[in-house]
Amino acid sequence: LRLINLKNSRNKIILVIIIKGSKMENCTSKKFGIWFDFKIQPKNEWMKFFDKLENANISECFINANANQLDYLISLTKNHNLNIHGWIWTLNRPYDEKCSKNLDWYSVNKIGQSSYEYRPYVDYYQWLSPFSEGARDYIKGNISKIASVDGLSSVHLDYVRYCDVFLPKNLQKYYSINQTHEFPEYDFGYHINGRKSFKDMYGIDPIDINDTKLSRKWKQFRCDAVSSLVKELKAIAKNKNKKISAAVFPYPEMSREMVLQDWSSWDLDIVCPMNYHHFYDGDIDWISDSVSKGVKYKKSDGMYLSGLFLGALSPLKLEEAINLCLKSGANGVCLFNDECLKEEHIKVIKSFRL
């Protein structure tokens, strides 16, 4: 379960399975996906892996890798019916040497703790602030490197948000936390630049807000800072003729409250909401409801791929979940993760080819 494997959640690629073998540009086809990451292994192992994907009619690979690794994998797949996408951690940059030398880049919580030193929930949480110009420039440089890879199908953004204000219900149980309200130690976005900009606009330091209406404005103000960054990242990708995709929280109403992420306005080419039902103590129908709430924000010519947590789904439940996602308007699904993918799951996936 990802409840236990949060420390391994960095290891993701998205693979998308095209039902009838059509190209990604034809978004009427039903598609499916899975997250995992680049690993060092012999070329023949990669070739066997890519053969397996192609034989399963899997065509879209969203890979957690640097630019050189992506270039290498693109060269290996030139004779395969596969598209390679570059997956990148955006605002969460743990153990990043360049960032650690620029401490003013990091996000700050309501009680003044920097995300460089204070890491809620897990050690790999080290969040940069979208209010820091230095951090924004660094992130844009990272995106530019990925977008410059020849043959890349899209730049895939992840962790493009703030630290979790609220964890999902079952993760709260796992970490023995009861988040009945917004606790200041988990409430990030109080970088000095953001506080100053908000005060210049509304006449009050957000630290001092007690008014409900102003509190909502401050929440949206922080969401907008992330959204403006995404807009700039999109421009970089588009300038290099690359699509933009992202892994996001289930639907905007939820993501705004839980992680200050308002992806409803991002106009992504591919959006991958992580509809991990068991995180939220939900059943299979929860997934369908989440898709219905989020799919209306999909770009008109884009793709909505519903994220499913494979480790929480038997083959039978996977089939049910896929059917519900498709009936609710999704173009397909993304599965987390490859380590949980069994032959029985593959048989279910291949059954959707007809």
Side-chain angles (χ1 to χ4, degrees):
L1 295 179
R2 193 177 176 187
L3 296 177
I4 295 173
N5 287 330
L6 278 174
K7 291 187 179 180
N8 295 326
S9 65
R10 302 170 64 191
N11 305 323
K12 304 194 281 191
I13 293 179
I14 298 176
L15 310 169
V16 178
I17 303 158
I18 296 187
I19 306 288
K20 296 185 179 179
S22 59
K23 291 293 184 179
M24 187 182 73
E25 288 78 5
N26 181 1
C27 294
T28 60
S29 299
K30 301 297 180 281
K31 310 174 194 297
F32 304 83
I34 192 166
W35 280 282
F36 67 94
D37 75 334
F38 179 89
K39 58 184 175 182
I40 298 175
Q41 62 181 4
K43 176 182 176 180
N44 67 306
E45 291 298 318
W46 276 117
M47 298 307 290
K48 285 193 293 185
F49 176 68
F50 289 133
D51 287 342
K52 177 182 177 180
L53 299 184
E54 188 171 51
N55 290 335
N57 214 27
I58 298 171
S59 68
E60 309 303 312
C61 305
F62 291 61
I63 308 172
N64 176 20
N66 63 36
N68 289 334
Q69 293 165 342
L70 290 167
D71 187 65
Y72 171 66
L73 295 182
I74 289 170
S75 71
L76 293 185
T77 57
K78 60 185 178 181
N79 293 321
H80 288 75
N81 184 31
L82 298 172
N83 295 311
I84 304 299
H85 306 251
W87 177 78
I88 186 169
W89 285 30
T90 310
L91 280 162
N92 186 24
R93 302 293 304 176
Y95 324 118
D96 189 311
E97 184 176 348
K98 178 67 176 293
C99 295
S100 68
K101 295 177 181 178
N102 295 274
L103 299 185
D104 59 318
W105 289 3
Y106 287 89
S107 192
V108 179
N109 66 16
K110 194 172 183 178
I111 55 180
Q113 294 171 309
S114 167
S115 185
Y116 175 71
E117 296 176 338
Y118 175 65
R119 308 176 192 183
Y121 315 121
V122 288
D123 189 59
Y124 66 82
Y125 264 18
Q126 283 188 308
W127 297 86
L128 301 183
S129 173
F131 292 113
S132 165
E133 288 303 321
R136 291 174 76 102
D137 287 344
Y138 179 65
I139 291 167
K140 286 185 282 188
N142 289 339
I143 298 302
S144 181
K145 290 175 185 176
I146 297 297
S148 297
V149 175
D150 288 339
L152 194 74
S153 294
S154 87
V155 177
H156 184 66
L157 309 177
D158 199 1
Y159 289 102
V160 58
R161 59 180 179 85
Y162 296 83
C163 176
D164 312 64
V165 182
F166 294 101
L167 287 177
K169 185 181 296 185
N170 275 343
L171 288 184
Q172 290 186 39
K173 294 176 184 177
Y174 178 74
Y175 290 110
S176 300
I177 299 171
N178 185 21
Q179 294 175 317
T180 56
H181 59 279
E182 293 181 3
F183 289 94
E185 62 266 37
Y186 305 123
D187 186 15
F188 279 79
Y190 289 81
H191 189 280
I192 188 63
N193 292 353
R195 289 170 59 187
K196 183 180 184 301
S197 295
F198 187 85
K199 186 175 182 179
D200 289 344
M201 186 175 295
Y202 295 102
I204 185 172
D205 188 328
I207 288 287
D208 301 322
I209 290 176
N210 291 311
D211 178 78
T212 301
K213 185 176 180 180
L214 277 174
S215 181
R216 286 198 298 268
K217 289 183 180 296
W218 171 232
K219 183 173 293 184
Q220 189 61 49
F221 189 82
R222 287 178 286 173
C223 287
D224 291 345
V226 173
S227 295
S228 69
L229 175 62
V230 172
K231 184 177 180 180
E232 293 177 11
L233 301 183
K234 283 176 58 180
I236 291 170
K238 298 300 182 184
N239 188 52
K240 297 179 183 293
N241 297 314
K242 302 299 191 302
K243 293 180 182 291
I244 195 84
S245 59
V248 297
F249 265 54
Y251 50 90
E253 291 83 359
M254 174 188 285
S255 63
R256 282 193 292 264
E257 294 301 314
M258 296 187 73
V259 295
L260 302 174
Q261 179 190 68
D262 186 7
W263 58 265
S264 64
S265 64
W266 293 0
D267 210 27
L268 299 164
D269 296 306
I270 308 169
V271 60
C272 305
M274 296 174 285
N275 294 317
Y276 301 160
H277 64 295
H278 66 304
F279 279 21
Y280 303 92
D281 203 22
D283 55 17
I284 298 297
D285 288 334
W286 184 97
I287 298 173
S288 177
D289 182 61
S290 181
V291 173
S292 296
K293 290 177 178 176
V295 73
K296 59 188 176 183
Y297 298 105
K298 182 193 75 168
K299 183 180 177 182
S300 60
D301 60 346
M303 290 196 296
Y304 177 109
L305 303 178
S306 176
L308 300 178
F309 197 96
L310 194 56
L313 294 165
S314 67
L316 186 61
K317 287 294 184 181
L318 174 62
E319 183 176 13
E320 183 181 355
I322 292 173
N323 275 315
L324 286 173
C325 288
L326 297 178
K327 288 179 181 178
S328 298
N331 299 102
V333 304
C334 297
L335 305 173
F336 185 87
N337 65 12
D338 66 305
E339 294 177 358
C340 299
L341 183 65
K342 309 301 182 186
E343 189 61 37
E344 292 77 10
H345 292 123
I346 292 175
K347 289 178 181 178
V348 169
I349 293 166
K350 292 175 72 173
S351 73
F352 283 85
R353 293 167 66 176
L354 298 178

